[in-house]
Amino acid sequence: MEFTHFGGPTVLFTYGGLTLLTDPTFDGPGEYPLGQRVLVKTAPPLAPAPERVDVVLLSHDQHPDNLDRSGRDYLASVPLVLTTPLGAGRLGGAARGLEPWVQASVGGVTITGVPAQHGPDGTEHLTGPVTGFVLRAPGEPTLYVSGDNASLDVVRAVAARFPDIEAAVLHGGRARTALLGEANLTLDAAGLVEAVRILGAREVTVAHVDSWGHFTEDRAAVEAAFAAAGLEKVLV
């Protein structure tokens, strides 16, 4: 598969005749107040926003590093936005909420909402709900899009339901903010390696590792961890 990275969690790809985009973030560098803390975007997008997509897969809407100001504006041009039920309620328009394990059919593609956990056990009331996605279509590899997830138990649950996952878009970066101190809000590089082993995926692209100040591991750290594990050829 081919993936276009825009920075942060934003990835464009085609699948089953559809053009899909994850978590739109197209703003330039700047500050985003969020409660008692400030998230800082450190880099502009790597390319202009695509003119047209069929579906946005939105991990969640409550954090600007997954949906910034330009990203919100961009959603107005998208025919379908799949996200959490709470997020769909807040966004309105073309947004549709998917509970875990609930399917949506778009053209010839089946998209299943799957769990994601944006921090350690017991912190969802602080970080809010998040969703991942599994895509299936005739002639295509089964694809897992993790969304912001910090739990390998969640990855195991997804792999148990979908033992045929061949490709994945995984969010890393070991995100940390003052909200949870030294606790990880997304997987670190070692966790990404273990996630690939759990899934048995043959092709993986890693997002959510650049362009924001609270991402504490970059792409180089991910590449080093995959190389040390003998999995460098898995990275797309």
Side-chain angles (χ1 to χ4, degrees), residues 157-175:
V158 172
R161 289 267 190 148
F162 297 95
D164 59 337
I165 288 171
E166 297 177 75
V169 178
L170 300 179
H171 287 199
R174 196 177 66 176

Side-chain angles (χ1 to χ4, degrees), residues 33 56 62-63 80 100 151 160:
V56 163
Q62 64 265 29
H63 298 148
L80 178 62
S151 170

Side-chain angles (χ1 to χ4, degrees), residues 19-222:
T19 301
L20 301 101
L21 182 75
T22 65
D23 294 5
T25 54
F26 299 117
D27 284 353
E31 294 187 348
Y32 289 79
L34 187 63
Q36 301 300 311
R37 60 201 188 280
V38 175
L39 302 185
V40 179
K41 191 170 189 183
T42 58
L46 298 173
E51 291 186 5
R52 175 187 174 277
V53 300
D54 299 302
V55 183
V56 163
L57 302 177
L58 179 60
S59 169
H60 57 297
D61 71 310
Q62 64 265 29
H63 298 148
D65 58 316
N66 293 84
L67 185 65
D68 62 13
R69 300 179 187 106
S70 297
R72 287 181 180 273
D73 293 341
Y74 186 79
L75 294 185
S77 68
V78 178
L80 178 62
V81 179
L82 296 176
T83 188
T84 65
L86 279 177
R90 287 188 290 255
L91 293 170
R96 175 179 172 184
L98 282 182
E99 296 280 0
W101 316 123
V102 172
Q103 295 180 344
S105 295
V106 188
V109 180
T110 299
I111 304 175
T112 303
V114 298
Q117 183 175 308
H118 202 359
D121 292 346
T123 59
E124 186 184 86
H125 66 291
L126 297 173
T127 59
V130 182
T131 189
F133 306 91
V134 170
L135 285 69
R136 279 175 158 170
E140 298 279 4
T142 299
L143 172 67
Y144 169 47
V145 179
S146 74
D148 279 13
N149 176 58
S151 170
L152 290 173
D153 285 341
V154 163
V155 177
R156 292 184 185 96
V158 172
R161 289 267 190 148
F162 297 95
D164 59 337
I165 288 171
E166 297 177 75
V169 178
L170 300 179
H171 287 199
R174 196 177 66 176
R176 293 179 175 179
T177 73
L179 180 68
L180 294 178
E182 295 300 304
N184 293 345
L185 293 164
T186 52
L187 289 175
D188 60 15
L192 291 169
V193 167
E194 185 60 23
V196 171
R197 288 173 171 156
I198 292 167
L199 295 166
R202 295 185 289 110
E203 295 185 357
V204 174
T205 190
V206 175
H208 201 274
V209 291
D210 56 61
S211 303
W212 289 85
H214 61 290
F215 299 171
T216 66
E217 284 186 341
D218 61 11
R219 189 171 302 278
V222 172

